[in-house]
Amino acid sequence: MNSVATPLLGGALIGLAVTLMLLFNGRVTGISGILYSSLSRPTQEGLWRWLFLAGLLAGGASVQILRPELLINLSDRNMTAIILAGLLVGYGTVMGSGCTSGHGICGLSRLSVRSLAATVTFMLFGFIAAQVFVYLIGAFA
Amino acid sequence: MKYRRYQNLTALIVGLLFAAGLAVSGMTQPQKIINFLTLGPDWDPSLLFVMIGALGVHLVTYPLIRRRRSPLLDTMWHVPTRQDLSPRLIGGSALFGLGWGLAGYCPGPAVTSLASGDLRALAFVFAMVTGMLLFKKTEPLMKLKG
């Protein structure tokens, strides 16, 4: 139940969020792109990106107050793996023009061939990385 | 642009909603992503249902909205139109996938999780921003189109 109903509900909320962004602002809600562009010198035209990120952070803060258990990282990944992963995600999403939100949700919804190719690729390589990590842990444990 | 203030308000609300959606769906817990990407007895299908929920909404709303000549608060659409596949698109997505499977974080959940003060979330976001800036530095060297 918990692995079907709440993910469906949460997913629908995400679908609603990207719908509002398109309907009102005519934009794609691609989080890696928004974050990357917000690293440049802020402009009047780009202020919405900062406000989106502020909303994301404030949303996270609200969750931390209401349901802190939802933000707890129980994975077995150590700091070395996390930092390497962060570098790969930052570099890869800018190089590949998108992440799970931009390609996976917004791109697939407009039936973009590029986003389909990107999504299949990052899913495949995500599976590979996760399996290799388990294998390495087994080899050194 | 007279609507800019309202565009900014939209972006703020969308950010709040997006964070709520990620938290409700369990996507701010990296173990759920890792258990989706790791085949085995602990396999967790959550991510699949998140995608079904999100696509179930936006696959319907996208074409309806695009029937309009313009968005409500702007005079034009800002939606990507490219259709070509490039080595850069596939290579970048592969690198992203490797990092995603390694940490269980993608950009949205990682930024949303910052409020928890979790050291791994903080380190991930710091490294992710560094990776983005690194790409900006190395981009001119690669000469890869789009």
Side-chain angles (χ1 to χ4, degrees), chain A residues 22-72:
Chain A
L22 183 74
L23 176 62
F24 285 91
N25 292 10
R27 288 185 187 275
V28 166
T29 312
I31 298 182
S32 58
I34 292 173
L35 182 60
Y36 177 64
S37 300
S38 74
L39 297 175
S40 310
R41 191 188 300 268
T43 59
Q44 279 291 317
E45 299 78 44
L47 195 60
W48 68 273
R49 295 189 176 89
W50 286 81
L51 282 149
F52 172 80
L53 293 172
L56 210 55
L57 287 167
S62 311
V63 174
Q64 176 65 18
I65 292 165
L66 299 170
R67 296 286 301 277
E69 70 276 14
L70 292 177
L71 299 186
I72 294 177

Side-chain angles (χ1 to χ4, degrees), chain A residues 11 19 23-26 36 48 51 70 73-75 77 86 90-92 95 100 104 110 114 122 126-127 131, chain B residues 7-8 28 31 37 39 51 54 58 61-62 72-73 78 82 84 88 92-93 97 101-102 106 120 128 136 138:
Chain A
T19 293
L23 176 62
F24 285 91
N25 292 10
Y36 177 64
W48 68 273
L51 282 149
L70 292 177
N73 185 350
L74 294 175
S75 84
R77 280 20 179 191
Y91 196 93
M95 181 176 167
T100 343
R110 63 171 193 273
R114 276 171 64 84
F122 68 67
F127 276 111
Q131 308 308 318
Chain B
Q7 289 179 7
N8 292 340
T28 45
Q31 60 273 19
L37 295 174
L39 303 172
M51 291 302 288
H58 203 45
T61 58
Y62 180 83
L72 293 173
L73 298 178
H78 305 272
R82 282 179 60 177
D84 59 306
R88 179 176 153 173
S93 298
L102 190 54
C106 51
R120 286 186 288 178
M128 178 170 68
K136 199 178 187 177
T138 56

Side-chain angles (χ1 to χ4, degrees), chain B residues 5 40-41 60 78 97 105 117 133-134:
Chain B
R5 194 183 306 168
V60 175
H78 305 272
Y105 277 128
L133 295 173
L134 213 58

Side-chain angles (χ1 to χ4, degrees), chain B residues 21-94:
Chain B
L22 286 172
V24 168
S25 62
M27 296 298 95
T28 45
Q29 297 159 266
Q31 60 273 19
K32 284 183 142 335
I33 308 292
I34 289 168
N35 286 345
F36 174 81
L37 295 174
T38 312
L39 303 172
D42 293 329
W43 189 69
D44 183 334
S46 296
L47 177 72
L48 192 64
F49 291 106
V50 179
M51 291 302 288
I52 292 172
L55 291 175
V57 172
H58 203 45
L59 270 169
V60 175
T61 58
Y62 180 83
L64 290 176
I65 293 170
R66 288 304 304 271
R67 282 186 196 173
R68 297 179 51 86
R69 192 166 302 175
S70 67
L72 293 173
L73 298 178
D74 206 335
T75 52
M76 58 179 287
W77 300 102
H78 305 272
V79 175
T81 52
R82 282 179 60 177
Q83 292 290 332
D84 59 306
L85 302 182
S86 61
R88 179 176 153 173
L89 175 79
I90 304 300
S93 298

Side-chain angles (χ1 to χ4, degrees), chain A residues 126-140:
Chain A
F127 276 111
I128 291 171
Q131 308 308 318
V132 168
F133 191 86
V134 170
Y135 177 78
L136 290 178
I137 289 282
F140 290 109

